[in-house]
Amino acid sequence: MSLKFVILVKHTNLNIAVEQLVESLNIDLEQERKDILKKYRRLLRTAKPFLKDNDAKLIKKAFYTSVDAHKDMRRRSGEPYIYHPLAVAQIVVEEIGLGTTGIVAALLHDVVEDTDMGIDDIERLFGKKVAKIIDGLTKISGRFEYGSSQQAENFRKMLLTLSDDVRVILVKLADRLHNMRTLDSMPRDKQLKIASETIFIYAPLAHRLGLYSIKSELEELYLKYTEPQEYRAIARKLRETKNIRDRFISKFMEPIAQDLESAGLNFILKGRPKSIYSIWNKMRKQNKPFEEIYDLFAIRIVLESPPESDREKAICWQAYSIVTDHYKPNPDRLKDFLSTPRANGYQSLHSTVMSKSGQWVEVQIRTSRMDEIAEKGYAAHWKYKGNDTKVKGNIEQWITQVRETLENGFGDKTAAIEFLDEFRSNLFNEEVFVFTPKGELKVLQAGSTALDFAFDIHSEVGAHCMAAKVGGILVPISYVLNNGDQIEIITSSKQKPNEDWLRIVVTSKARARIKDFLKEENRRYETDGRQFVEKKLKILGMDATAEVMNQLRAFFECKTTTDFFYRIGKGYIPIDDLKRFKRDRDAKEKKAAENGASSSAAPTTGTDGKALTKYLKQIHGDRADSDTLLIGDDMDKIDYKLAQCCNPIAGDDVFGFVTINEGIKIHRTTCPNAAELMSKHGNRIIKAKWSGKEEAFLAGLYLSGTDRVGLVNDVTRIISNELHINMRGLTIDTKDGVFNGDIKLYVQDTRHLDILIQKLEQVEGVYNVQRFDTNLSGK
């Protein structure tokens, strides 16, 4: 079937909605057909160097299958949907480096989810490998229980396939990258959800697989949509300082380049700024403005060398020697990833040196093979797979750990969120390199303890570990490992795991093994606890529904209902405490009834965003923003509170989160918990905005600078006399001529707060004024 025929069939069978879309967007179908073919031919040209036998025919078959399957579909931007799988396939081959199987999977990745075609059809047409990848990428459909997370369960399902074929994750990352690149066409609430999920899961995952370029772009796009003003401000300042930066880099590299040439080394010099996200992160963590972040760029020396030759490491150290001949190195900032690569295969030599102008400069030295692996990560290993078995082995070891995690305690749906937490905790961590008594190198995540090491050796060694020796000195099982430690584990047949061990270990493998050992003993307590709860609820006149169980879990601050039952069975939570839960629940229902909105009318707890959005539309009528919670206006209709974790004030960009047991919490989109909430529980997010009513909001400001007589008087005069702002608290500490202070005060909105910050910044001696969000309640 030709593409022209597909488009004509599509055109003649358009329904009314699509016809209206075509007319309203003034769509030229013939031009679209040409664009589709142009994108397809570009894909084939990019893939041509590694195509074999019938590969081109298979890609063509996948292309036409995807065109036909998506023929009546358009993206929110109005473009034909086929543009998306074509773009994903282009990323897969051009930016990640996958072959024919990856391209075919990318072209077909949405076919099963969005059309009537099934996995069996894919397997029949394209084989088991492609079908397996597509199955891993296809979201789980259906209804999910209260407290569960569809996003977490979809991610767990995808990782089940990862353990067999890493390409499922690589295609997913390409899919997510294109979605982020085209996020402009999505409404604001969708942008926030997708961006938050990206920074919470997919950027760390790209980092773990060594896809540096993709990881950096995902982070930058996240910042672009969640903090647009900050993003634009940093981008503008980078543009403004580009010429100065280029001159500095050129002058810095001139003597190094001359000596590298004299030594007969072939090289490429790269000097580029750190990513906008990286700079923003430094500004936030260090509480410094852009002008005080000095390591805005890194200089990279990429050396030409035959892959895995004996000269690879030697020429890197030779280049390092040349750099340090000209500039003094910081001995504490030398990082040797040549001898001990990171788990994602990253190899490089990092050093920070002092320039002639007194500025610290980071220099990275690597070969072209190392540079390609640093940019393309896991996929680049396939190019060198015949030679680079050691580096690839580190990634395979990590994938094996993922497989073990899935197989040990996290395979069921009820544990999907717990698994996501466990998995994510291992993504961004650095490694620690330690040795067995026989000198075997072991690579664990940073922060690992002697007990983690014992479980890494063998499950039985871990289960009976009672102490360890490091350098011949006896240390407890909680000892945190350091690079270069040589560890001997001491065991005892009488030792066995206990719950405290879960607070000692950090690796997924150790946690899973400990939970396995505890599972049999715990199962009895869980069963007893469930029976106690069901019996007590019956006495209290309540039904033991899934909703009630999850409300109980949230009320007693347990991670899962299983954990709640266990704590009841163990006696950690007295069974009579369920009376407190009933009183609290009854009081909330009574309050809702008194406000004229019964719990059945306003579904604000134990529900999802769809039910609440439907209710909002009912009470708001035909208003344009009828699906949005109006903070201030809707207080008498819906139970909501301002979240204490970020203390939003009028003017902040906010969203609503439907909790299990505490109504709706209003969070800032920049809340420290926002990415996690949107990533795990996107179905419980609702749109919210300020109504514009006059109200006082509690805000906090942090001040620092040089101390002087009359400073506090000047600060309080601006707050109380000039702006007539009420203060709740003021704390100023001074030491050796430097002061730090916290002020808690009531403001009308973000504009009011911005005016105050600007005036305080003009006070003599005040160097830094920043808003803070935590501990405003004084609790």
Side-chain angles (χ1 to χ4, degrees):
M1 180 185 290
S2 71
L3 180 66
K4 183 176 180 180
F5 178 70
V6 170
I7 295 295
L8 287 173
V9 169
K10 173 185 173 184
H11 186 46
T12 55
N13 291 288
L14 288 174
N15 57 33
I16 296 174
V18 176
E19 284 180 353
Q20 290 174 343
L21 177 65
V22 170
E23 290 175 6
S24 64
L25 295 176
N26 195 24
I27 291 171
D28 184 342
L29 292 175
E30 180 60 24
Q31 184 58 47
E32 281 187 352
R33 184 187 72 83
K34 291 178 181 178
D35 289 343
I36 292 168
L37 286 174
K38 185 178 178 181
K39 293 174 186 294
Y40 168 62
R41 287 168 185 152
R42 181 192 170 205
L43 175 66
L44 286 180
R45 282 196 305 273
T46 310
K48 187 177 179 180
F50 57 78
L51 295 183
K52 302 174 186 175
D53 302 329
N54 294 319
D55 284 357
K57 289 183 179 179
L58 191 64
I59 293 171
K60 182 179 180 181
K61 183 180 177 182
F63 168 63
Y64 282 116
T65 300
S66 185
V67 167
D68 189 43
H70 297 299
K71 63 180 179 290
D72 292 328
M73 297 173 61
R74 288 188 175 268
R75 304 194 81 203
R76 189 177 286 267
S77 62
E79 296 176 337
Y81 195 87
I82 187 63
Y83 281 15
H84 172 63
L86 276 169
V88 174
Q90 189 69 34
I91 293 169
V92 156
V93 64
E94 188 173 22
E95 300 181 48
I96 298 180
L98 295 187
T100 300
T101 301
I103 294 170
V104 170
L107 287 169
L108 300 169
H109 76 276
D110 278 336
V111 165
V112 172
E113 189 174 309
D114 294 341
T115 74
D116 293 333
M117 186 173 283
I119 291 295
D120 292 341
D121 299 320
I122 297 292
E123 184 174 336
R124 177 172 49 80
L125 293 169
F126 300 98
K128 287 186 177 180
K129 283 186 179 179
V130 172
K132 188 78 174 176
I133 295 172
I134 301 299
D135 188 35
L137 293 166
T138 303
K139 293 175 184 174
I140 302 170
S141 59
R143 190 171 178 81
F144 292 82
E145 293 182 358
Y146 293 115
S148 67
S149 167
Q150 183 173 359
Q151 288 150 298
E153 288 167 12
N154 282 323
F155 189 69
R156 184 186 64 84
K157 177 177 181 280
M158 183 170 58
L159 287 172
L160 283 167
T161 311
L162 161 68
S163 61
D164 294 323
D165 194 333
V166 73
R167 284 174 292 196
V168 70
I169 288 293
L170 297 175
V171 174
K172 182 61 182 178
L173 286 170
D175 175 42
R176 179 51 57 117
L177 179 58
H178 185 249
N179 282 334
M180 288 296 289
R181 285 174 176 173
T182 56
L183 210 53
D184 274 331
S185 60
M186 301 296 284
R188 174 68 174 156
D189 60 315
K190 296 288 186 184
Q191 288 178 345
L192 290 172
K193 285 183 189 179
I194 294 170
S196 296
E197 192 177 71
T198 297
I199 202 67
F200 190 73
I201 299 172
Y202 293 105
L205 187 54
H207 168 85
R208 198 64 175 81
L209 290 172
L211 299 164
Y212 177 79
S213 296
I214 289 177
K215 168 239 180 191
S216 297
E217 187 174 352
L218 289 175
E219 289 175 338
E220 292 220 357
L221 288 168
Y222 159 78
L223 190 63
K224 178 182 177 182
Y225 289 103
T226 56
E227 294 268 21
Q229 292 181 336
E230 296 274 359
Y231 176 86
R232 288 194 293 268
I234 295 172
R236 186 186 68 253
K237 289 175 181 176
L238 282 174
R239 286 194 302 271
E240 290 170 352
T241 57
K242 183 179 185 301
N243 291 335
I244 297 172
R245 208 165 48 244
D246 289 346
R247 286 196 298 271
F248 175 88
I249 291 172
S250 178
K251 189 174 181 180
F252 178 89
M253 286 305 304
E254 188 176 347
I256 296 173
Q258 290 175 358
D259 284 4
L260 288 172
E261 287 178 1
S262 300
L265 297 174
N266 294 321
F267 62 91
I268 298 172
L269 298 179
K270 299 180 180 179
R272 62 181 182 184
K274 297 285 182 72
S275 70
I276 295 175
Y277 177 85
S278 175
I279 295 169
W280 171 78
N281 221 13
K282 286 179 182 289
M283 290 167 59
R284 187 181 58 168
K285 287 182 178 179
Q286 298 175 15
N287 284 330
K288 291 181 178 179
F290 177 90
E291 290 72 21
E292 293 182 23
I293 303 295
Y294 296 113
D295 53 342
L296 292 174
F297 59 88
I299 290 172
R300 185 177 303 160
I301 303 172
V302 181
L303 302 157
E304 290 298 328
S305 171
E308 278 298 289
S309 70
D310 296 337
R311 295 259 310 144
E312 260 202 313
K313 292 181 184 177
I315 63 171
C316 288
W317 283 109
Q318 186 181 357
Y320 171 76
S321 177
I322 289 172
V323 171
T324 55
D325 283 345
H326 293 280
Y327 304 106
K328 188 75 173 176
N330 183 335
D332 296 327
R333 297 292 298 272
L334 176 63
K335 296 180 181 178
D336 176 15
F337 298 116
L338 297 177
S339 306
T340 51
R342 285 174 170 164
N344 58 22
Y346 179 88
Q347 281 186 291
S348 188
L349 190 59
H350 292 193
S351 180
T352 302
V353 298
M354 179 63 74
S355 69
K356 304 298 184 186
S357 60
Q359 183 174 342
W360 288 109
V361 179
E362 182 184 334
V363 180
Q364 302 170 354
I365 304 169
R366 62 183 70 153
T367 64
S368 54
R369 177 191 68 85
M370 297 173 188
D371 193 53
E372 186 172 1
I373 289 172
E375 295 297 320
K376 290 189 175 179
Y378 187 91
H381 289 297
W382 293 345
K383 182 175 179 179
Y384 307 100
K385 63 182 178 181
N387 305 310
D388 197 24
T389 53
K390 179 182 177 183
V391 176
K392 185 181 177 184
N394 285 336
I395 302 178
E396 295 293 357
Q397 182 181 0
W398 174 71
I399 292 174
T400 299
Q401 290 174 355
V402 173
R403 185 185 297 115
E404 289 174 348
T405 303
L406 286 162
E407 292 170 353
N408 291 278
F410 296 102
D412 61 315
K413 288 186 177 183
T414 58
I417 295 177
E418 189 177 354
F419 165 73
L420 181 57
D421 288 336
E422 195 76 39
F423 177 81
R424 187 179 176 277
S425 69
N426 294 330
L427 288 178
F428 256 136
N429 286 321
E430 298 294 326
E431 292 89 26
V432 61
F433 301 90
V434 294
F435 296 90
T436 68
K438 293 184 178 180
E440 181 186 354
L441 175 66
K442 291 285 183 181
V443 183
L444 286 81
Q445 74 181 69
S448 293
T449 62
L451 188 57
D452 284 299
F453 178 84
F455 275 103
D456 191 70
I457 298 295
H458 195 278
S459 298
E460 288 300 319
V461 174
H464 299 293
C465 173
M466 61 179 297
K469 282 186 178 180
V470 177
I473 299 174
L474 196 67
V475 297
I477 60 175
S478 59
Y479 170 82
V480 179
L481 306 179
N482 297 303
N483 280 326
D485 282 347
Q486 191 167 20
I487 307 141
E488 178 186 352
I489 298 299
I490 300 171
T491 61
S492 169
S493 58
K494 295 180 181 179
Q495 179 73 298
K496 66 177 184 177
N498 59 64
E499 291 175 356
D500 289 336
W501 283 19
L502 291 172
R503 288 188 281 272
I504 293 174
V505 297
V506 299
T507 60
S508 297
K509 181 176 181 179
R511 292 180 64 83
R513 292 292 183 267
I514 293 168
K515 287 180 179 180
D516 280 345
F517 281 108
L518 296 175
K519 194 174 288 183
E520 278 304 315
E521 182 182 356
N522 291 354
R523 188 173 288 122
R524 176 168 59 86
Y525 291 112
E526 289 166 16
T527 302
D528 290 347
R530 182 184 288 273
Q531 291 174 352
F532 293 156
V533 170
E534 289 175 350
K535 185 177 179 181
K536 189 67 176 180
L537 287 175
K538 191 173 182 179
I539 293 171
L540 294 172
M542 300 174 68
D543 295 327
T545 62
E547 178 184 359
V548 170
M549 294 302 186
N550 269 289
Q551 289 177 355
L552 281 164
R553 176 202 63 75
F555 184 81
F556 289 103
E557 299 180 346
C558 300
K559 278 192 171 183
T560 63
T561 51
T562 300
D563 180 40
F564 168 66
F565 293 138
Y566 169 76
R567 290 171 67 183
I568 288 284
K570 195 81 173 175
Y572 296 153
I573 300 175
I575 192 66
D576 280 346
D577 277 8
L578 266 65
K579 293 178 182 177
R580 284 197 300 113
F581 164 75
K582 187 177 189 302
R583 285 197 299 269
D584 182 78
R585 192 170 186 262
D586 290 346
K588 286 179 179 177
E589 289 183 354
K590 183 180 178 182
K591 180 182 176 183
E594 288 172 352
N595 289 337
S598 68
S599 59
S600 59
T604 59
T605 59
T607 186
D608 60 23
K610 287 184 179 179
L612 186 56
T613 299
K614 185 178 179 181
Y615 175 75
L616 285 168
K617 288 180 178 179
Q618 289 176 359
I619 63 174
H620 290 155
D622 297 330
R623 202 179 65 197
D625 56 355
S626 62
D627 60 346
T628 303
L629 173 66
L630 288 184
I631 306 167
D633 283 355
D634 292 338
M635 177 62 86
D636 58 337
K637 305 181 186 77
I638 293 178
D639 180 23
Y640 65 83
K641 299 174 184 174
L642 302 181
Q644 291 185 3
C645 52
C646 57
N647 290 283
I649 65 177
D652 282 330
D653 199 0
V654 293
F655 66 93
F657 178 71
V658 185
T659 67
I660 293 292
N661 217 29
E662 298 181 89
I664 299 162
K665 292 283 184 73
I666 306 299
H667 293 262
R668 292 165 65 188
T669 56
T670 55
C671 173
N673 299 317
E676 182 174 359
L677 294 176
M678 292 186 186
S679 299
K680 291 182 181 177
H681 306 289
N683 61 316
R684 284 158 58 187
I685 303 295
I686 63 167
K687 290 189 279 187
K689 69 177 185 180
W690 306 96
S691 65
K693 287 186 175 179
E694 287 288 327
E695 192 175 344
F697 297 91
L698 184 62
L701 289 179
Y702 167 78
L703 288 79
S704 63
T706 55
D707 191 22
R708 63 174 174 80
V709 176
L711 176 77
V712 175
N713 183 56
D714 288 348
V715 168
T716 55
R717 177 178 50 77
I718 288 173
I719 295 172
S720 301
N721 297 346
E722 287 191 30
L723 296 179
H724 307 293
I725 294 175
N726 290 325
M727 282 191 295
R728 175 168 165 173
L730 171 64
T731 305
I732 299 285
D733 291 325
T734 64
K735 184 177 181 181
D736 299 330
V738 175
F739 83 88
N740 292 278
D742 290 342
I743 307 174
K744 297 176 185 177
L745 34 73
Y746 291 95
V747 295
Q748 296 166 6
D749 50 32
T750 51
R751 182 176 169 276
H752 196 197
L753 186 63
D754 288 342
I755 292 171
L756 173 59
I757 291 173
Q758 290 170 10
K759 284 186 173 291
L760 290 176
E761 286 175 336
Q762 294 169 9
V763 173
E764 181 187 349
V766 175
Y767 285 173
N768 185 29
V769 184
Q770 284 191 325
R771 177 180 174 185
F772 71 86
D773 306 317
T774 55
N775 299 321
L776 293 185
S777 63
K779 293 181 180 179

